[in-house]
Amino acid sequence: MAGIHSEAWLGAYRGVLHGVDLQKLVTRRGTGWWRGALARGVDIKILSIADIPAGYATYGPCRLRNTGMAGEIYELYLKPEYQGLGFGRTLFENVRETLNARNMPSMAVQVLTANEPARAFYKAVGGKLAAKSWYRLGGRRLELSVYSWPQRRS
């Protein structure tokens, strides 16, 4: 997981985040952090291609206030070589089905606004821009975009 996170973050945020800030964020999410998260029971789906971990998503109840959404995808990352091949959509839909089965039929995700590929992905899978928020990192104020998916119609 740490390797997927590192590769995906370096690919997505190089040039968006300052190098030192990016390296701190990547380093913080090393193997020890993942062991602790898994021991705490974090909800995670791992995407494997030919038995090789290629991506993951973490998810659960929505933490974003005032969205009216029940569930949230906290993270969805693929190694760069697996991006753009439909695997992200498969992982996204699998998480959405899991949230729905857990009585969380609506969901949200937040992404750095400067991460154009991620924003395009969430729009392509039907997300609607629902809100903007801000995040402070290394003395910088970064804009976040919140996308939402209301309950599916039967």
Side-chain angles (χ1 to χ4, degrees), residues 7-20:
E7 287 182 46
W9 269 61
L10 292 172
Y13 300 118
R14 188 174 281 125
V16 173
L17 301 177
H18 289 145
V20 172

Side-chain angles (χ1 to χ4, degrees), residues 64 67 69 107-111 118-120 122-123 126-132 145-149:
L64 306 170
T67 64
M69 300 293 110
M107 68 176 200
V109 67
Q110 66 180 342
V111 62
R119 290 178 50 225
Y122 289 119
K123 288 179 193 175
K128 303 293 181 218
L129 182 61
K132 297 276 187 167
S145 294
V146 178
Y147 290 89
S148 66
W149 292 260

Side-chain angles (χ1 to χ4, degrees), residues 134-147:
W134 300 93
Y135 178 74
R136 285 218 173 268
L137 177 66
R140 291 177 62 201
R141 186 175 170 202
L142 303 169
E143 184 180 64
L144 297 166
S145 294
V146 178
Y147 290 89

Side-chain angles (χ1 to χ4, degrees), residues 39-94:
R40 288 188 306 276
V42 67
D43 286 319
I44 187 168
K45 296 234 181 235
I46 300 170
L47 172 73
S48 293
I49 309 297
D51 293 326
I52 298 169
Y56 73 90
T58 60
Y59 56 93
C62 190
R63 306 166 300 178
L64 306 170
R65 297 179 192 177
N66 302 320
T67 64
M69 300 293 110
E72 180 182 353
I73 293 179
Y74 307 138
E75 298 179 298
L76 191 153
Y77 292 109
L78 300 178
K79 288 183 175 180
E81 62 266 30
Y82 296 104
Q83 295 174 9
L85 302 172
F87 297 121
R89 181 180 291 268
T90 299
L91 184 56
F92 172 88
E93 287 299 334
N94 190 282

